[in-house]
Amino acid sequence: MNLHALRLFHTVARLGSVTRAAEELRLSQPAVTIQVRNLEQELGLTLLAPKGRGVLLTEAGACVAAEARRLFALEEEVEARVAAFREGRTGRLRIAATYLPANFLLPAWTARFRETHRGVSLSLSTANAREALRRLTHYEADLAVIGGGPEAAGGITRRLLREDPMWFVVPPGHPLAGREASLGELMREPFVLREPGSFTRDMLLSLCRTAHVEPPRISLEMDGFSETLRAVAAGCGAAFASAAEVRPYIERGEVARVFVPSAAAVNPISLCLREGEEPSPTAAAFLSLILSLIEASHPPAGGSP
């Protein structure tokens, strides 16, 4: 079936006039008439009958017009859905994140995103840095927001969002609590370490290698940050963690900070995407939002207060 001719017939049937249809379609009246007649010949049916200055649908014409109305309404719906997907207003967004961004950054970011993207299905999974990157490279996530982590492997691009200082903490009442110490002095204390693959564990061991200091004795190995801090608070040993994570525990007096000037380090919070691929529309919309939020929270120097 000639869909162009059917579309013209649909317009004629909707407006009840070949003349008005030609005006709306910006075609000549004879061109519209010819296309409708061609459709009638193709179908072997008479679709229109003259009625004064307008036209009247025959029984066959009314049947074809009803089906054309359904067809072109569906076309409009498909176009609307495609536009919504293309603009990131619908679809899905799967985020893999490490503990710090998952608990201290992403809740606010996803809440803002939901305000304007209610049609998007959102999911957030928390893992250590290596696992978050694995999920991204295996298409189990659309983007990853990680604290620290290994260098981006082949196939991954990383965009720095912010940096958070790394702090050492000990149980309250510990002899080094609130004091300054050298890295070597602190490494003589037992440590509660995160699981292999954790950025904080890798960074601590890297600091020891750089300073030619023996790594600490592991008193306990934990799979999660909250569990690690509770173990420190209970007296199991010291820990190394991002400031944003431990600050609430310090303020509540559950753990205490040890100042180690010789071991200054930061936790880079980065957004990771698959290299060489355009992010999905939803991922692109989310990235645009968080970059605008970060920029708004750090205005350029000399700007208005």
Side-chain angles (χ1 to χ4, degrees):
M1 181 182 292
N2 186 329
L3 289 181
H4 175 64
L6 182 64
R7 189 183 302 276
L8 269 57
F9 167 72
H10 167 65
T11 306
V12 172
R14 177 169 55 83
L15 297 176
S17 167
V18 174
T19 301
R20 290 200 295 271
E23 291 173 352
E24 180 175 297
L25 296 167
R26 297 184 179 181
L27 297 172
S28 68
Q29 183 174 332
V32 174
T33 300
I34 290 172
Q35 288 295 326
V36 173
R37 285 178 181 171
N38 288 341
L39 181 63
E40 289 179 322
Q41 291 177 0
E42 181 183 358
L43 298 178
L45 297 168
T46 300
L47 303 177
L48 298 175
K51 180 186 178 183
R53 293 186 177 181
V55 293
L56 177 69
L57 292 174
T58 65
E59 182 180 359
C63 177
V64 173
E67 295 305 317
R69 188 162 53 248
R70 289 176 54 202
L71 174 64
F72 294 118
L74 178 60
E75 179 187 43
E76 291 177 0
E77 181 181 348
V78 171
E79 289 176 347
R81 290 191 177 187
V82 168
F85 185 83
R86 186 171 54 244
E87 295 163 8
R89 292 184 284 110
T90 189
R92 69 178 183 182
L93 179 60
R94 299 166 301 168
I95 305 170
T98 53
Y99 183 90
L100 189 153
N103 287 271
F104 295 90
L105 299 175
L106 283 162
W109 291 348
T110 54
R112 286 291 299 274
F113 186 73
R114 293 290 293 170
E115 292 175 4
T116 52
H117 296 77
R118 295 189 180 277
V120 174
S121 173
L122 272 170
S123 65
L124 171 62
S125 59
T126 306
N128 66 38
R130 289 182 183 173
E131 174 61 16
L133 290 178
R134 187 202 67 78
R135 292 177 187 178
L136 178 63
T137 57
H138 285 72
Y139 290 83
E140 296 171 14
D142 301 300
L143 59 86
V145 185
I146 63 172
E151 289 298 317
I156 295 293
T157 60
R158 178 180 294 191
R159 180 163 189 164
L160 181 66
L161 300 177
R162 59 175 287 182
E163 292 182 327
D164 195 51
M166 297 295 295
W167 288 355
F168 289 96
V169 292
V170 292
H174 188 280
L176 296 177
R179 288 183 47 204
E180 184 175 306
S182 68
L183 183 63
E185 182 181 7
L186 186 55
M187 290 305 104
R188 290 194 286 269
E189 300 293 326
F191 262 69
V192 180
L193 290 188
R194 290 286 305 277
E195 75 283 2
S198 165
F199 165 73
T200 56
R201 179 187 182 121
D202 291 345
M203 176 172 274
L204 177 61
L205 298 180
S206 177
L207 285 174
C208 290
R209 287 193 298 271
T210 301
H212 304 290
V213 171
E214 285 293 319
R217 175 174 59 85
I218 301 174
S219 68
L220 194 60
E221 189 174 279
M222 307 294 290
D223 283 342
F225 169 78
S226 296
E227 296 86 342
T228 298
L229 265 289
R230 283 196 289 270
V232 173
C236 293
F240 186 54
S242 200
E245 296 172 327
V246 299
R247 187 177 285 109
Y249 292 83
I250 293 172
E251 292 173 349
R252 292 194 298 266
E254 297 175 21
V255 297
R257 185 179 173 190
V258 180
F259 300 89
V260 186
S262 62
V266 295
N267 183 1
I269 311 299
S270 304
L271 183 136
C272 298
L273 297 167
R274 288 183 290 272
E275 187 176 19
E277 292 185 19
E278 286 293 325
S280 69
T282 51
F286 185 73
L287 174 58
S288 177
L289 170 71
I290 62 176
L291 291 178
S292 66
L293 293 176
I294 291 172
E295 183 179 352
S297 65
H298 296 88
S304 300

